Amino acid sequence: MSAALSLEEAQARLLALAPALAPEACAVEQALGRYLAADLSAARTQPPADLSAMDGYALGGQGPWQRMGESRAGAPFAGSLSTGQCVRISTGAHLPHGADRVLLQEDAHLAGDTISTDQDPAAGSHVRARGFDFREGDRLLVRGTAMTPARIALVLAAGHGQVSVARPARIAILDTGDELASDPAHCAPHQIPASNGGMLAAMLAPLGCEVIRLGPIGDDHAALAAALSQAESADILITSGGASVGDHDLVQDALTRWGAQIAFWRIAIKPGKPMMVATRGAQVVLGLPGNPVSCFVTAFLFALPLVRAAMGAAAPLPRRHALVAGEALPAVGKRREFLRAVLGPDGARLSGSQDSSALASLAAADCLIDRPADSPALPAGSTITGFLLHNG
Ligand code: AMP
Ligand code: MG
């Protein structure tokens, strides 16, 4: 039996296999979670003119000032101001020619159409200068950047209705096991509800890929072969369960008969050791362990990065953060461990049982603490590292 690979080596070998997906045009508002296939430059300047940042009066030269009219957002004042003249101005409105600052409404003294103040603002006050955010031609986002809500706003503001992104990856999900019930509300005593398929589909959903559900399927050669025949069009196939070497672990064998070649398997991590990677032409197969937490952790560390890489992400791996241990942590054995933990004011505390089947502690967790192999026991307050699981 070959030695288990390190996490980093396995991730590097897997990402090198990621299929390259052709780019396509996508409406910016539909691009959430997708990755830019090309650098993106501003098609316009923002703001397009000097604008007021506040409600008040745009002032020309020395006061007191005669009010000449109004500049509203979307309805600029047409004329230009001489010294001693002003216009009423609202947030986002164009500063008229001849004005160089905005007097806040609350600092203005009004006597008919004459405005005066004890607090004449310095030149440039409360003005958003033309182009301070970005200028036409500026490179705003680089290829491989994920589209977030803020970047959708930036790209729209930069004058683009469409972006170029990789086409959505087609991902087939096949969960296996004779004990799995597809309807969780109708589960016989010898069964458990199939939960990995739904979990994997939910993990993939934010990436905007196309998911094909092929399971759950029993531990049966003919049924597995029939399910695999429906994975022809998938860029990536993710299986769960049946990947070990027990009598009822048929997945590797079924994959080999389907024409896949095993690239590597077994990773020196806990949970998640029996993960397997195979290829079939340009298709990549990830065989994840059946235990739900092992399945989650390997999907988080391998399947999501693979899909992100296929969809063009410049940085497909999860981002590591420095964390504080909110309680003492035990020593680690020969296998690197990922611990489910909750983030609180004292730092990260374990969220419950660390058994690889325990979903309640996974559901409670905010992060996975990464504990390297052979780490000594640590006292509370120690600096550790880990991965955040969600932003909510
Ligand atoms: P296996 O990898 O097939 O040996 O499965 C390991 C454990 O994970 C067993 O206890 C299975 O019942 C459980 N398991 C496998 N697949 C699923 C699934 N889709 N949903 C929930 N539990 C599963
Ligand atoms: Mg099984």
Side-chain angles (χ1 to χ4, degrees):
M1 193 183 283
S2 59
L5 295 175
S6 73
L7 173 67
E8 283 77 11
E9 186 179 354
Q11 285 174 324
R13 285 177 67 172
L14 175 66
L15 294 183
L17 300 173
L21 306 177
E24 64 180 22
C26 176
V28 175
E29 296 197 16
Q30 303 301 319
L32 184 64
R34 309 275 291 271
Y35 297 89
L36 292 177
D39 292 355
L40 187 132
S41 298
R44 55 183 294 284
T45 294
Q46 179 91 328
D50 292 347
L51 303 182
S52 179
M54 301 292 280
D55 289 339
Y57 296 87
L59 306 180
Q62 297 304 304
W65 299 271
Q66 195 65 26
R67 180 181 155 151
M68 307 305 293
E70 185 174 18
S71 180
R72 287 185 288 120
F77 177 75
S80 79
L81 301 183
S82 310
T83 186
Q85 295 184 329
C86 71
V87 295
R88 185 89 174 98
I89 197 163
S90 46
T91 305
H94 285 207
L95 211 70
H97 287 294
D100 68 344
R101 63 203 189 279
V102 171
L103 173 66
L104 297 184
Q105 177 169 292
E106 51 270 38
D107 294 339
H109 305 313
L110 275 67
D113 271 347
T114 304
I115 314 294
S116 59
T117 185
D118 309 325
Q119 333 239 351
D120 190 357
S125 293
H126 310 301
V127 174
R128 295 182 178 138
R130 174 178 192 277
F132 95 87
D133 197 357
F134 53 80
R135 291 182 170 273
E136 184 177 347
D138 283 354
R139 193 172 65 166
L140 297 179
L141 296 172
V142 297
R143 179 193 161 115
T145 302
M147 289 299 281
T148 60
R151 290 171 190 153
I152 285 177
L154 176 67
V155 173
L156 291 169
H160 298 282
Q162 295 199 317
V163 282
S164 176
V165 293
R167 74 159 167 81
R170 273 192 291 278
I171 318 289
I173 298 176
L174 172 57
D175 47 343
T176 67
D178 278 340
E179 72 282 32
L180 302 180
S182 55
D183 180 352
H186 292 94
C187 185
H190 64 281
Q191 293 182 309
I192 57 167
S195 56
N196 289 347
M199 175 179 74
L200 292 168
M203 291 174 86
L204 293 166
L207 294 172
C209 42
E210 193 184 309
V211 170
I212 308 161
R213 295 284 296 278
L214 301 178
I217 294 290
D219 296 312
D220 172 83
H221 282 298
L224 283 171
L228 288 174
S229 72
Q230 294 176 58
E232 296 293 328
S233 70
D235 301 300
I236 294 168
L237 166 65
I238 304 175
T239 68
S240 95
S244 305
V245 285
D247 287 345
H248 303 288
D249 293 326
L250 310 180
V251 169
Q252 278 208 23
D253 192 40
L255 287 171
T256 309
R257 290 180 198 207
W258 183 52
Q261 291 192 315
I262 311 299
F264 59 92
W265 73 303
R266 288 196 204 91
I267 321 296
I269 57 172
K270 183 179 171 184
K273 183 178 178 194
M275 200 207 63
M276 180 216 61
V277 174
T279 56
R280 181 176 181 266
Q283 293 178 292
V284 183
V285 183
L286 266 180
L288 306 186
N291 267 309
V293 180
S294 312
C295 184
F296 179 92
V297 169
T298 49
F300 183 82
L301 294 173
F302 294 99
L304 296 186
L306 175 67
V307 176
R308 288 189 201 106
M311 293 188 67
L317 293 173
R319 203 183 304 175
R320 178 183 299 281
H321 294 269
L323 301 171
V324 173
E327 62 184 319
L329 294 173
V332 182
K334 292 272 162 270
R335 247 193 303 158
R336 181 170 177 173
E337 285 183 25
F338 291 91
L339 305 175
R340 284 148 268 173
V342 177
L343 293 175
D346 323 323
R349 288 173 171 270
L350 302 187
S351 60
S353 167
Q354 299 294 317
D355 186 274
S356 60
S357 68
L359 278 173
S361 62
L362 178 66
D366 300 312
C367 63
L368 289 177
I369 298 173
D370 182 357
R371 295 279 283 138
D374 301 318
S375 296
L378 291 179
S382 303
T383 299
I384 52 179
T385 70
F387 300 101
L388 301 185
L389 295 179
H390 52 74
N391 301 315

